[in-house]
DNA sequence: ATCGCTGCAAATCTTTTGCAGTAAG
DNA sequence: CTTACTGCAAAAGATTTGCAGCGAT
C-alpha cells in the first residue's frame, strides 16, 4: 500500500472532521479541496486506509459505514432525533472500557469490536 | 400496526433461523414457503416488526442490516474468516453486561446500544 | 519500464416508493 | 365501506468494477 499524495490528503482531511462522515459525504468534502477526485477513489481509499489501521471504519449506524480520523479508543452515540453521529463519553465508560478489555483478554479469538449507543445527543436532550 | 398473516409468518420463520439473515437473504427463505411474497414486503415488514420490538434489527455488520428473531439480550460475533454472523457468549460477558446496564442507568439519554465483536468464530478458530 | 493508483463511466447491488388491487373487520 | 397491507415495477441510492491513462520510483 503506497501512501500517495491523495491518501495523505484523505487522512489529513478526515482528521480535521468530527462529523464521522459516510463515504459519499466525505467525497463532497474532498471535492471542495481537490475537485477532480473521483468517488471511486474515495471509497477505495477509505477502505484501504481503514484496513491498514490508519483511519477507523465505524461499521455501525444502520446502513452506510462511517469513517473517523481518530483511531484512539472512544465511543459513539447515534442521535435518534437529529440523526447525528457524535463522540461520546458516557458516565461509567471507564468501567465499561475495563470490562471490554477484559473480554478481549479472555477471548483470544476476538480482534476488536464495534459499539454504538443510540439515544439523544447533548444538543437534542 | 396490524399483525397480519404474513407478518406472523415472518416472525415465525425468523425465529427458526439462527443465521441472522440480511433482508434479501430472508426474502429467499420466505419465498420458498410463500412464493408470491415480494421483496418490498420483506423489507417493509422487517422494518415495521423491529420498530415494534417484535424482532431485533442488528444495525451492525458493515453494510446490510441483519435481523434476529431472538429479542433477548445477547452478543454477536462477526467472523473475519468465514463472514458468518453468530450468537456469542464471550468469557467475561456477565461483567460486560453489568457495565453496560450501569452505563444505561447512569445516562438517561441512552435508549439502547449495538455491539458486535469481530474475530474468529468457533468453527474457524 | 514497471507497477500500483486514479478518474471516468458503467454495472451491480440494496433499499425505497408510487400505485393499483386485496384482505379483514 | 374503510383502512391498512401487499405485489409489482420502477426509481433511487450506495458501492464496486473494468479499463485506459497517469505518476512515482
Amino acid at each position: 500500500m503506497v501512501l500517495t499524495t491523495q491518501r495523505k490528503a484523505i487522512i489529513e482531511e478526515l482528521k480535521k472532521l468530527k462529523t464521522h462522515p459516510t463515504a459519499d459525504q466525505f467525497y463532497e468534502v474532498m471535492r471542495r479541496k481537490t475537485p477532480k477526485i473521483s468517488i471511486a477513489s474515495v471509497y477505495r481509499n477509505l477502505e484501504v486506509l481503514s484496513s491498514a489501521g490508519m483511519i477507523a471504519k465505524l461499521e455501525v449506524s444502520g446502513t452506510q459505514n462511517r469513517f473517523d480520523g481518530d483511531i484512539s479508543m472512544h465511543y459513539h452515540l447515534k442521535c435518534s432525533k437529529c440523526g447525528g453521529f457524535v463522540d461520546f463519553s458516557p458516565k461509567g465508560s471507564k468501567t465499561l472500557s475495563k470490562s471490554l478489555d477484559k473480554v478481549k483478554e479472555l477471548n483470544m479469538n476476538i480482534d476488536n469490536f464495534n459499539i454504538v449507543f443510540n439515544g439523544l445527543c447533548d444538543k437534542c436532550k
Side-chain angles (χ1 to χ4, degrees), chain A:
Chain A
M1 201 271 283
V2 183
L3 206 52
T4 59
T5 308
Q6 188 181 59
R7 289 180 179 164
K8 283 179 196 159
I10 285 176
I11 295 171
E12 189 184 343
E13 283 306 311
L14 188 59
K15 281 193 191 304
K16 283 186 198 164
L17 300 178
K18 299 186 176 181
T19 54
H20 313 83
T22 58
D24 58 315
Q25 287 168 346
F26 187 62
Y27 168 61
E28 289 304 326
V29 173
M30 288 303 296
R31 205 145 69 119
R32 268 174 240 138
K33 305 272 172 174
T34 51
K36 65 190 166 191
I37 195 173
S38 75
I39 192 165
S41 294
V42 171
Y43 272 94
R44 264 187 302 232
N45 286 331
L46 288 174
E47 199 55 44
V48 166
L49 292 171
S50 63
S51 291
M54 308 190 70
I55 62 174
K57 173 162 67 166
L58 312 176
E59 301 193 329
V60 192
S61 77
T63 48
Q64 292 174 264
N65 288 328
R66 286 168 178 274
F67 295 87
D68 191 345
D70 179 0
I71 55 176
S72 68
M73 173 60 202
H74 61 292
Y75 300 100
H76 298 100
L77 173 86
K78 185 186 175 191
C79 181
S80 51
K81 191 170 177 185
C82 71
F85 203 91
V86 297
D87 287 343
F88 181 52
S89 294
K91 289 171 190 154
S93 63
K94 278 190 188 169
T95 305
L96 175 59
S97 295
K98 275 184 203 161
S99 301
L100 284 164
D101 285 346
K102 195 81 183 176
V103 168
K104 281 186 73 171
E105 189 186 310
L106 292 172
N107 301 268
M108 297 310 292
N109 58 318
I110 296 176
D111 294 330
N112 62 351
F113 56 85
N114 270 294
I115 177 167
V116 169
F117 294 93
N118 298 298
L120 295 174
C121 69
D122 285 346
K123 285 183 193 165
C124 293
K125 77 182 173 190

